[in-house]
Amino acid sequence: MRRRVVVTGMGVVTPVGHDVSAFWDSLLVGRSGVSFIRDFPTDKLRSDIAASIVDFDVSRYMSPKEAEIHGRVTHFSVAAAAEAVTMAGLDTLGRADPHRIGCLISTGMGSVDIFQHQIERSRERGPRAVSPYFVPGVMPNAGAAVVSIRYGFMGPSYNIASACATGTHSIATSAMMIEAGEADVMVAGGAEAATRLDTVAGFGNARALAKAFEGDPTRASRPFDKRRQGFVMGEGAGVVVLEEEEHALRRGAKPLAVLQGFGMTTDAAHLTRPHPEADGLRRAIVRAIERAGLKANDVDYINPHATSTPQGDAAEIIALRNVFGQRLAHIPMSATKSMIGHLLGGAGAVETIAVVCSLRDQMLHPSINADELDPDFGPLDVVREKRSVTCSWALKCSAGFGGHNCALLLGRM
C-alpha cells in the first residue's frame, strides 16, 4: 500500500507578502507586487519592471555575518522554511527522528547577487580579493544545507534545478521519497532572487519579458489575455513540509492538504520554446491524475503555469484542452503570476501554497489583468473575482526552459 503524503506546513516570502497569511490575503484582493525597478539603472534594458521584494528583514533569520556570506536566494529560503517548519511543529523535533527528515529547497539560478559581486571584485582588484566564502555563498544547494544545519535534519538533502519547474519538481521528488520510504518528512520548495541587471538584460534580450502595460507595471503580467507581452520577473520563495500521513497524525500535526499525485516529463524538443503541441505537459498532467487514482473529471480547479508569454500560454491551453476536452471551459483557473510575476525556480512552490490555501479555505483567488481572453484559446473559466467553491481536487502545472514539465494533484483534507 502506497504511503500517503500530506502537507503539514507552509512558508513564503513573496512580492505581496512575507508570510502565508499576508500572501493569501493579497491574492484574494488582487493586489499586484509588480513595480518599476529601482535597484539599478534600467535605461538600456528592454524591460524596466519586476516583482521585487521590498522591506525584507533578513536579521530576523540570520546574524549579520551569516547574511553576508549567503545570497538573497538563501535568505528567502531560510525565511520561508522557518515559517513552514514552525507551522508543522518541527522547530522542536519532539517525536520526529531527524534522520528521517530531508530537505529539498531548490533554486534554478543560485545566488546571482553573490556571483555578480565577487566577479566584479575579481576584475577590479584581482583574484586575491575574492571572498573565501564565494563558493559556499553561490552554491545552489546552500538553502537546503543551511536549513538542514539549522534544524538538524539529517535525511536526504540537496538541490534540483529544472528552470521554472524547479519548485514543483522539488515537491514532487520529495513526495516520491516519502512514498518510497526514504524519509518520513521532507521540507521542500523553491526560491529565486534573480531580478538583477544581467538577468533582466538576458531575459529582455531574449524578448521574453513584458514592459509596463500602458505605463502601469501592475497591469503587465497578463496570463491568457489577448494583449499579453511576456512574463514579469519576480523573486521569492515557497516551502512546504510534506509528511507521511500516519507520521503526521502520530505527532499531532494537522494535515492541510494531501499530495495525491504527480507527473514529471520532458519535451525533448527545444531549449527555450515549449513544444508546439505541448505533449510533454499533457503527459505530466495525465500522469499526475493517474497516479492519484483519479479521472480527469475529478479535477475541480487548475492553477496553471501561466507565464503570460504568447507561446507559453498557448501551449499550456493546448495541453489542458487535450486532457480535459470541452470540460476545460467549466474548470475554474486562476493564475498566481498575474500578481507576483514569475518567480522562476520559486514559482511552482509558491503557487502550490496558493493551491493549498484554496483547498483549505474553499476559496479561489482572482487572475488580474485578464481583461480580454485570447479568442484562440476558446472558452475558459478564468477567475476574475475571488470565488467561493466546493473544491476537492486541484491541479498545479509547471514548465521550464529545457522542456521540463511537472504537475501536482492536491486534495482537500
Side-chain angles (χ1 to χ4, degrees):
M1 184 175 176
R2 209 169 79 188
R3 286 156 57 97
R4 190 166 141 111
V5 179
V6 296
V7 180
T8 55
M10 306 185 288
V12 297
V13 178
T14 77
V16 297
H18 299 177
D19 58 56
V20 172
S21 178
F23 164 67
W24 184 232
D25 287 348
S26 294
L27 293 188
L28 290 178
V29 299
R31 184 167 78 85
S32 173
V34 183
S35 63
F36 288 111
I37 295 170
R38 305 191 190 284
D39 295 337
F40 48 83
T42 59
D43 53 305
K44 296 181 180 179
L45 299 178
R46 293 180 184 274
S47 177
D48 60 355
I49 61 172
S52 301
I53 290 176
V54 296
D55 298 329
F56 175 73
D57 183 7
V58 69
S59 68
R60 292 179 58 196
Y61 308 98
M62 292 181 178
S63 68
K65 178 65 177 177
E66 194 178 11
E68 184 180 349
I69 292 171
H70 296 292
R72 194 167 164 83
V73 68
T74 303
H75 301 170
F76 295 159
S77 299
V78 171
E83 185 184 14
V85 166
T86 300
M87 187 183 296
L90 285 173
D91 45 341
T92 54
L93 287 174
R95 298 171 62 186
D97 179 356
H99 298 89
R100 301 285 299 165
I101 304 175
C103 189
L104 212 59
I105 301 174
S106 304
T107 174
M109 300 187 72
S111 291
V112 177
D113 51 346
I114 295 280
F115 195 88
Q116 191 175 41
H117 178 61
Q118 293 300 323
I119 294 296
E120 288 169 358
R121 280 173 66 99
S122 179
R123 287 176 178 170
E124 293 171 0
R125 299 165 53 185
R128 287 188 178 272
V130 174
S131 168
Y133 299 111
F134 175 51
V135 174
V138 299
M139 62 186 195
N141 55 314
V146 172
V147 171
S148 296
I149 293 167
R150 179 157 300 190
Y151 296 101
F153 300 152
M154 291 182 276
S157 174
Y158 55 94
N159 178 87
I160 288 176
S162 56
C164 304
T166 293
T168 322
H169 266 122
S170 292
I171 293 172
T173 303
S174 294
M176 191 160 57
M177 285 184 182
I178 294 172
E179 284 188 359
E182 296 297 319
D184 293 326
V185 183
M186 291 294 296
V187 181
E192 209 73 85
T195 53
R196 310 289 293 182
L197 188 148
D198 292 331
T199 44
V200 174
F203 279 119
N205 291 343
R207 300 185 185 281
L209 297 183
K211 303 175 183 178
F213 189 87
E214 297 177 347
D216 183 354
T218 66
R219 300 184 64 203
S221 186
R222 314 176 64 80
F224 308 124
D225 185 76
K226 180 181 178 181
R227 294 177 290 175
R228 68 193 184 279
Q229 307 166 334
F231 72 84
V232 175
M233 283 189 67
E235 60 179 358
V239 173
V240 295
V241 174
L242 300 180
E243 191 161 359
E244 193 273 327
E245 185 174 31
E246 292 301 318
H247 184 274
L249 296 176
R250 277 199 304 274
R251 66 178 190 86
K254 179 184 178 183
L256 304 169
V258 59
L259 177 50
Q260 187 85 353
F262 48 84
M264 295 179 272
T265 65
T266 305
D267 289 346
H270 194 277
L271 196 60
T272 57
R273 288 200 299 268
H275 191 284
E277 298 176 359
D279 192 58
L281 184 56
R282 180 196 66 81
R283 289 185 290 109
I285 296 168
V286 169
R287 179 62 179 144
I289 294 171
E290 289 179 347
R291 194 179 180 97
L294 301 171
K295 303 292 185 185
N297 283 344
D298 295 317
V299 175
D300 302 311
Y301 167 64
I302 300 170
N303 186 301
H305 187 56
T307 58
S308 182
T309 61
Q311 289 180 326
D313 284 6
E316 184 164 22
I317 292 299
I318 290 172
L320 291 170
R321 201 167 293 286
N322 285 340
V323 174
F324 297 104
Q326 294 183 352
R327 184 170 172 267
L328 180 63
H330 306 290
I331 305 176
M333 300 196 302
S334 46
T336 310
K337 290 185 181 72
S338 66
M339 286 170 272
I340 65 171
H342 193 344
L343 273 52
L344 309 180
V350 170
E351 290 158 13
T352 297
I353 289 170
V355 171
V356 174
C357 290
S358 294
L359 290 165
R360 180 194 63 190
D361 296 349
Q362 296 291 282
M363 184 73 70
L364 306 183
H365 74 70
S367 296
I368 66 170
N369 302 322
D371 298 331
E372 184 179 359
L373 297 182
D374 190 329
D376 290 344
F377 296 160
L380 297 173
D381 181 11
V382 175
V383 178
R384 316 291 181 92
E385 304 267 344
K386 71 176 181 181
R387 184 188 301 179
S388 296
V389 290
T390 301
C391 179
S392 297
W393 297 105
L395 175 71
K396 171 68 213 139
C397 305
S398 292
F401 276 7
H404 309 303
N405 307 292
C406 189
L408 306 177
L409 206 295
L410 296 113
R412 182 185 187 185
M413 293 304 300

